[in-house]
Amino acid sequence: MTTPTDAPDFLSWPDLANRALAGSVVWASDESFAERENLIRATEPVFDPAEFGNKGKVYDGWETRRRRHDEIGGNDSAIVRLGVPGQIRGIAVDTAWFTGNFPPQIAVYGLTCDDYLTGEQIAALPDSEWTTLVPPTDAQGDHRHHFEIFPAGPAASQRFTHVRLDMIPDGGVARLRVHGRPVPDPRFLGCTLDLAALENGGRITGCSNMFYSRPDHIISLGRARTMGEGWENARRRGEGNDSVTVQLAGEGRIRWIELDTSYFVFNAPGDVKLTGITASGEEIELVAQTAVLPDTRHRFLVSDPAEGESGPTPVVAVRADVYPDGGISRLRVWGELTDAGRQDIESLW
């Protein structure tokens, strides 16, 4: 299925696990020495021989404890949700700076799952759900391992959403790169405008709480790079919930909404609800109250029971309710302007 190579062509394909594309390490069996999130950092791994922390030597990678007892058993694993699902062309596993603590063997498996499951739920799926991308293979310390997916193999044509890296039985890996061809969901293609974007004329008109950061961050350019580049409210101790309202660039028909909790790991909302507000003040349910995950880019198709031949009900604003509180890094509202919405923008121009 795979073959190691010194100068693989697959490196020309984008890294689908890249943090900048909303990739996230959603689960790890253990991260006693170095946290799992380091696996998909965009930078090259670095090493300071004099740097020690409360858990021992500091490594720029993912490192687990030493497996000592029979009751532990098995091997260590980390699961990465790809920022952009796609067909995998090759995988790079880098053990840079891990010399006496690298895993004797590594293996990589792929999964296709479009549901928003927690890391624990993904980890509990049976092995039969996973496709072997890299079978158990001897590893080296301080080395970049390249594995090309054979174009003629069954894995090359499959669309994957997650990969699992196994260290057999334990050790440390600095970086994981998953190069491949993006495969978009056609249901989310075709809309031409983010109606909420600040650059297109969207603006925040209401916010229940902005204790830690400004709510207009969520409609700013690009993706958030840290938690501080999103909207974070205070911890709610009483009843009710927090919300933020965006006045759209113009009246429009909404097709789908992206709500991104990237970098909000322990302070994301438990649930969210998205409501459209018409020019007359009527409220239209766009996305019913639903559970969301930490550190995840969620995409919701809008279901409008009043949708007619011309499309969903036109709205001029969208309110995002978070339950009971919690942070959002970005909010995108994709759709098209109505004639009235376009005229309003033209009049401003």
Side-chain angles (χ1 to χ4, degrees):
M1 291 185 182
T2 56
T3 180
T5 178
D6 294 328
D9 293 336
F10 70 74
L11 293 178
S12 63
W13 292 94
D15 176 13
L16 303 179
N18 195 310
R19 194 65 162 124
L21 296 177
S24 178
V25 187
V26 298
W27 180 86
S29 58
D30 180 83
E31 47 187 331
S32 296
F33 287 115
E35 60 188 11
R36 66 197 193 210
E37 286 83 2
N38 289 333
L39 276 174
I40 59 172
R41 292 183 65 184
T43 57
E44 290 297 307
V46 297
F47 182 75
D48 182 349
E51 187 177 7
F52 286 82
N54 292 329
K55 295 183 178 181
K57 184 72 193 73
V58 173
Y59 277 91
D60 184 7
W62 168 51
E63 186 184 9
T64 64
R65 71 205 182 292
R66 302 186 189 209
R67 289 178 171 264
R68 296 294 198 195
H69 305 292
D70 292 341
E71 62 267 22
I72 296 177
N75 55 264
D76 284 315
S77 302
I79 297 175
V80 176
R81 186 189 61 248
L82 302 179
V84 176
Q87 297 172 340
I88 298 174
R89 298 291 186 251
I91 293 172
V93 180
D94 191 353
T95 58
W97 306 110
F98 288 97
T99 53
N101 48 356
F102 63 92
Q105 288 190 315
I106 52 177
V108 184
Y109 303 88
L111 172 74
T112 303
C113 178
D114 289 306
D115 296 328
Y116 291 112
L117 302 183
T118 65
E120 289 73 18
Q121 290 171 320
I122 294 287
L125 292 174
D127 285 342
S128 59
E129 296 286 328
W130 296 85
T131 299
T132 300
L133 300 173
V134 179
T137 303
D138 290 345
Q140 302 177 49
D142 197 24
H143 181 76
R144 186 170 298 173
H145 308 76
H146 290 145
F147 302 96
E148 184 174 6
I149 307 300
F150 282 149
S157 60
Q158 186 173 342
R159 171 182 171 271
F160 293 102
T161 60
H162 298 71
V163 296
R164 188 185 81 213
L165 170 65
D166 285 2
M167 296 193 297
I168 306 169
D170 55 42
V173 170
R175 295 290 187 270
L176 174 68
R177 308 297 190 211
V178 183
H179 297 273
R181 176 181 182 178
V183 178
D185 186 334
R187 297 175 299 171
F188 295 96
L189 299 180
C191 299
T192 58
L193 183 66
D194 177 4
L195 298 168
L198 190 149
E199 65 172 330
N200 292 333
R203 63 188 179 93
I204 301 295
T205 56
C207 182
S208 61
N209 185 283
M210 56 182 84
F211 187 88
Y212 288 108
S213 49
R214 295 170 55 94
D216 55 6
H217 288 171
I218 66 174
I219 58 173
S220 296
L221 285 168
R223 299 195 63 254
R225 294 167 296 181
T226 66
M227 187 176 68
E229 293 185 359
W231 164 56
E232 184 184 4
N233 42 59
R235 299 191 185 202
R236 179 172 285 270
R237 302 303 187 185
E239 297 181 353
N241 68 280
D242 284 309
S243 65
V244 61
T245 302
V246 180
Q247 184 76 24
L248 303 180
E251 183 186 66
R253 302 182 189 276
I254 299 172
R255 305 294 181 174
W256 63 278
I257 293 175
E258 177 181 309
L259 188 141
D260 192 353
T261 60
S262 288
Y263 297 101
F264 288 92
V265 178
F266 300 109
N267 50 358
D271 292 73
V272 301
K273 181 174 73 173
L274 295 155
T275 303
I277 304 170
T278 68
S280 63
E282 179 186 1
E283 294 192 355
I284 305 293
E285 184 179 90
L286 302 175
V287 178
Q289 184 171 338
T290 185
V292 292
L293 299 176
D295 198 25
T296 299
R297 183 173 61 174
H298 307 77
R299 299 197 296 180
F300 303 106
L301 290 169
V302 168
S303 176
D304 184 352
E307 183 174 346
E309 293 182 1
S310 58
T313 304
V315 298
V316 297
V318 169
R319 185 181 70 248
D321 285 277
V322 295
Y323 297 91
D325 53 37
I328 298 173
S329 63
R330 290 293 185 267
L331 179 68
R332 307 299 189 203
V333 179
W334 292 93
E336 55 272 341
L337 291 167
T338 62
D339 290 341
R342 185 172 295 278
Q343 289 170 8
D344 287 343
I345 292 176
E346 289 175 350
S347 67
L348 290 174
W349 178 261

